């Protein structure tokens, strides 16, 4: 099992460019998440998807859109990149056991720089 | 709402010394508590998980954590630090629902040879 995979690993964009970060999991989890990680701020949730066909905003959704393409795949799109979106982006997936979020499994991350 | 506080954004220990990383959760007893580790340029990986089955939880790489309800704490310890333990450690707590995993801001552990 590959677990959670993310592409690309690195990306450099110019301000105003768009891109899509891809994420896939092979653990048959219902829930998937996108986080960003910035120095001194820990992990901040951008969007999540509790199940196929549903998405909801997290703590910092502005400037991002997501698509839950199927149970395996959850993509994050930056429509018009800004320097403030320079960050490391992590995708994660988990089960919800008895109505409670269980262990989240993380991908290796995408390091994005916006110039 | 649930939350976690990690005391100390940076902790330095000598190789072979005790590692103690602190985590406190908000007052209501959570269903699950987690410690994750993040090595440089990698994603987070689970170190250990508390599920109320036992207050002392053993994890990978010799780490363990003790749940103390009276202190609302879930501190992470390791008796003897190794150079390979240098990483960032995150405490997390979960509540009900699909979007209720809350992370602390992390503690960076440096091991001095």
């Amino acid at each position: 099992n590959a677990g959670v995979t993310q592409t690309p690993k690195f990306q450099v964009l110019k301000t105003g460019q768009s891109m899509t970060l891809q994420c896939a999991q092979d653990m048959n989890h219902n829930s998937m998440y996108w986080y960003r990680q910035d120095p001194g701020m820990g992990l901040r949730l951008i969007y999540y998807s509790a199940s196929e066909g549903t998405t909801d905003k997290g703590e910092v959704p502005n400037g991002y859109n997501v698509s839950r393409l199927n149970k395996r795949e959850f993509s994050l799109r930056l429509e018009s990149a800004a320097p403030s979106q320079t960050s490391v982006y992590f995708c994660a997936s988990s089960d919800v056991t008895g109505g409670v979020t269980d262990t989240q499994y993380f991908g290796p991350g995408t390091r994005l720089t916006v110039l | 709402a649930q939350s976690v506080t990690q005391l100390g954004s940076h902790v330095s220990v000598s190789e072979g010394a005790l590692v103690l990383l602190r985590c406190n959760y908000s007052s209501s007893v959570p269903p699950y508590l987690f410690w994750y580790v993040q090595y440089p340029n990698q994603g987070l990986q689970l170190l250990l998980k508390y599920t109320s089955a036992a207050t002392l939880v053993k994890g990978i790489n010799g780490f363990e954590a003790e749940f103390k309800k009276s202190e609302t704490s879930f501190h992470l310890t390791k008796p003897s630090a190794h150079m390979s333990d240098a990483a960032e450690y995150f405490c997390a707590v979960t509540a009900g629902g699909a979007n209720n995993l809350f992370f602390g801001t992390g503690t960076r552990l440096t091991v001095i040879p």
Side-chain angles (χ1 to χ4, degrees), chain A residues 33 48 96-102, chain B residues 1-2 28-32 93-102:
Chain A
Y33 311 82
Y48 71 99
V96 176
T97 306
V100 176
T101 304
D102 208 327
Chain B
Q2 284 286 0
S28 57
V29 177
Y32 299 146
V93 62
T94 190
N99 175 32
N100 283 309
L101 185 63
F102 302 97

Side-chain angles (χ1 to χ4, degrees), chain A residues 19-46:
Chain A
M19 78 161 296
T20 299
L21 282 64
Q22 306 286 355
C23 174
Q25 53 95 7
D26 62 3
M27 293 173 283
N28 203 37
H29 288 158
N30 284 315
S31 298
M32 297 186 74
Y33 311 82
W34 277 105
Y35 292 93
R36 60 179 289 174
Q37 185 178 31
D38 302 291
M41 303 191 75
L43 288 164
R44 292 184 292 171
L45 184 67
I46 305 171

Side-chain angles (χ1 to χ4, degrees), chain B residues 14-74:
Chain B
S14 298
E15 190 174 15
L18 171 72
V19 176
L20 171 61
L21 304 181
R22 300 177 188 273
C23 172
N24 288 88
Y25 62 91
S26 56
S27 57
S28 57
V29 177
Y32 299 146
L33 283 158
F34 306 86
W35 275 100
Y36 285 84
V37 59
Q38 184 180 30
Y39 298 105
N41 299 314
Q42 294 186 27
L44 279 71
Q45 57 181 277
L46 182 68
L47 202 53
L48 52 81
K49 167 183 163 183
Y50 165 77
T51 62
S52 78
T55 56
L56 184 63
V57 183
K58 294 189 184 299
I60 60 172
N61 302 335
F63 283 93
E64 62 182 35
E66 186 172 7
F67 174 75
K68 290 188 177 181
K69 184 178 177 180
S70 61
E71 299 177 9
T72 63
S73 68
F74 189 57

